[in-house]
Amino acid sequence: MRNNRSHVALTLVAAALSAWLAATNTAMAATDYNALEQAAIKGDKPSLAQLLAAANAGDTNAQRYLGDYYANNNQYDQSVQWYQKAANAGNAAAQNAMGDAYYYGQGETKDVNQAVAWYQKAAQNGDPDGEFNLGYAYEQGEGIGQDYDQALTWYEKASADGNSAAENNIGNMYSKGRGVKQDYTQAFNWYSKSAQDGDDVGEFDLAEFYENGEGTPQNYSQALTWYQKSADQGYAASENKVGDFYYYGYGVTADQTQAFKWYQKSANDGDPDGQFNTGYAYEHGEGVGQDYTQAYNWYKKAADQEQAAAENKIGDFYYYGHVVPEDYQQAFSWYQKAANDGDPAGQFNLGYAFEHGEGVSQDYDQAYNWYQKSANQGYASAENKIGDFYYYGRSVTQDKQQAAQWYQKAANDGDSEGQFNLGYAYEHGDGIGQDSTQAFNWYKKSADQANPSGENAVGHCYDNGIGVDKDENQAFQWYLKAANDGNPTAQYNTGLCYEEGDGTQQDYTQALAWFHKAADGGVADAAQELSKMYSQGLGVQADQVQANYWSDQAKKLGNGN
């Protein structure tokens, strides 16, 4: 009987203990450890104590969230200890966290292979983030062989488990044709899902499709709406895009002040394009006061992130001596970085440095190669330069037909020098059929962009009736524009107009002044005119010494000395 009573007692104790453990586990399961972690992060000590107690009692969810708490405080050694405990006990979220620890080298030595091994465990145990990370590893071939089919499979699993980043990456795979046939409509649909689920990158990609009309009709208003949603989550690339929309007036009234505000947000959040645009705003005084020092500083931040256009801009600052001392070698170094990173302006500037021997030994072959790379990206100034190389036979066999074709490309792409050169080719029949009307039209396009050579050429056409009715008044006006814009030949022509009274009232004093400017610019005929005016006392007291001096200068300039 005693043994029977003892057995009954033990049974009752065991039942009570089992009930207590079940109640405890239920209480632990019901505990919102995420809320405790967030409270602990804000400094709530009782919440941290409760989280620690549950973790020490073996609750894997508590251990995982305690790991998150320590990771948030950059105490990675502590975070990994708790993640490891939970992960070894089969907690899928902790297994994914261990993958992150190895991937980013936080609390563990960086090891992509180990990271992927943990992501696989997490994914196989149904963790959506683990499924996403395993998909990403397969897509990028990081720590595992690249396999787009496997990537898509795991992204789809993660998507089904509610991972919005996976939805976005499925969109990327359709957009790029990775593992599936390229399909912008499908990409748009997946970006829409991701965006609707609040993913900031998904919102950005959806906006980009609306902006470019890919997979959906172009709609700037919708694009701005989604860029704005993403920007409101602090996504730096979207903040920069909102700036672009205000700058160019896409879907909103153009407003440089608003554009600058968004560029600055993006820049402060570390986006290299935002940093470049902030630098550009400071350089040009758009939406903010002009400030070369601030411009340089922001360009430098962007350049330090290998933003190619910013690297080119740093080169410009050294080339022109803005903020930093003029230094062609430093300029060349930055142009080379920009060129190697694919910036067409940097490639052009590097070609120019090689052509003129600025900061590097002159090398026409290198110049041609870099101009060609830039021209292949449609950079109009480089297309014009390739035309020059064919025209003069630099590094390539002289070929004026090839030159004219490149000038035509540059002109069509809006380069004012290319338009001038194409006009010259038409006027003189160089590599293309002579056509005075075409010559005038291209000169005029160049002049309308305030190109001094183009302005002088339009004056020349009016002066001589080339492709347009002869008109001395128009000729003088165009010569004067070009002269004021610094063209020495136009300064000489303006001097002639004043001397002869062509298109303007005769004025020897003005003629003398413009001949001086032209002679200082290297025009031999202007020096000869000065000699005549000093000899005859036209617009100045006769002075044979000055007349002889300018006669000598004309000879030197005429000989190229």
Side-chain angles (χ1 to χ4, degrees), residues 188-423:
F188 173 81
N189 291 338
W190 280 103
Y191 288 149
S192 295
K193 286 182 193 238
S194 178
Q196 294 289 352
D197 287 340
D199 186 75
D200 54 356
V201 183
E203 291 166 343
F204 174 88
D205 288 334
L206 180 62
E208 200 166 48
F209 264 46
Y210 273 119
E211 180 184 358
N212 298 323
E214 293 175 336
T216 188
Q218 188 179 58
N219 187 323
Y220 285 142
S221 179
Q222 280 289 334
L224 180 59
T225 295
W226 286 107
Y227 280 138
Q228 185 77 63
K229 286 179 184 288
S230 179
D232 289 343
Q233 293 194 66
Y235 191 63
S238 288
E239 292 169 337
N240 177 65
K241 275 292 191 177
V242 174
D244 282 346
F245 272 54
Y246 275 107
Y247 186 88
Y248 295 107
Y250 295 157
V252 67
T253 303
D255 186 330
Q256 290 186 348
T257 302
Q258 278 291 324
F260 174 76
K261 182 186 86 172
W262 283 103
Y263 287 148
Q264 194 167 45
K265 281 189 183 191
S266 175
N268 286 330
D269 286 339
D271 183 71
D273 292 335
Q275 291 166 343
F276 172 84
N277 286 329
T278 299
Y280 191 90
Y282 273 117
E283 182 184 2
H284 297 278
E286 295 180 343
V288 67
Q290 189 178 55
D291 187 327
Y292 284 134
T293 301
Q294 283 281 8
Y296 175 85
N297 290 340
W298 283 109
Y299 283 144
K300 185 63 166 58
K301 286 180 188 287
D304 287 343
Q305 295 196 65
E306 298 184 352
Q307 207 271 8
E311 292 170 335
N312 178 64
K313 278 291 188 179
I314 295 294
D316 285 346
F317 271 59
Y318 277 107
Y319 187 88
Y320 295 106
H322 292 160
V323 179
V324 292
E326 182 182 289
D327 187 330
Y328 285 164
Q329 287 183 326
Q330 277 289 333
F332 172 82
S333 176
W334 281 102
Y335 289 148
Q336 193 169 44
K337 287 185 185 190
N340 286 329
D341 286 338
D343 182 67
Q347 292 166 341
F348 172 84
N349 286 330
L350 187 61
Y352 191 91
F354 275 117
E355 181 184 1
H356 297 277
E358 294 179 341
V360 67
S361 299
Q362 188 179 56
D363 187 328
Y364 284 144
D365 288 342
Q366 283 282 4
Y368 177 83
N369 288 339
W370 285 107
Y371 283 144
Q372 185 73 65
K373 286 179 188 289
S374 180
N376 288 344
Q377 293 197 65
Y379 195 72
S381 295
E383 293 169 337
N384 177 65
K385 278 291 186 179
I386 295 292
D388 285 347
F389 271 54
Y390 276 107
Y391 189 88
Y392 296 106
R394 293 175 183 162
S395 188
V396 292
T397 303
Q398 187 178 45
D399 185 332
K400 291 189 175 181
Q401 285 185 324
Q402 278 287 333
Q405 287 175 20
W406 281 102
Y407 290 147
Q408 183 84 60
K409 286 187 184 192
N412 288 337
D413 286 339
D415 183 70
S416 65
E417 282 295 317
Q419 291 165 342
F420 167 78
N421 286 329
L422 183 60

Side-chain angles (χ1 to χ4, degrees), residues 94-115:
Q95 291 167 339
N96 179 68
M98 283 301 300
D100 286 345
Y102 278 107
Y103 188 87
Y104 297 106
Q106 295 174 339
E108 296 285 1
T109 302
K110 186 176 176 69
D111 186 331
V112 177
N113 292 328
Q114 279 289 335

Side-chain angles (χ1 to χ4, degrees), residues 73-94:
N73 289 317
N74 299 322
Q75 294 173 273
Y76 296 119
D77 290 342
Q78 288 273 47
S79 68
V80 164
Q81 289 179 24
W82 290 107
Y83 287 147
Q84 187 83 59
K85 286 179 187 288
N88 288 341
N91 185 289

Side-chain angles (χ1 to χ4, degrees), residues 512-524:
L512 187 76
W514 284 110
F515 286 144
H516 267 291
K517 288 180 185 287
D520 289 343
V523 179

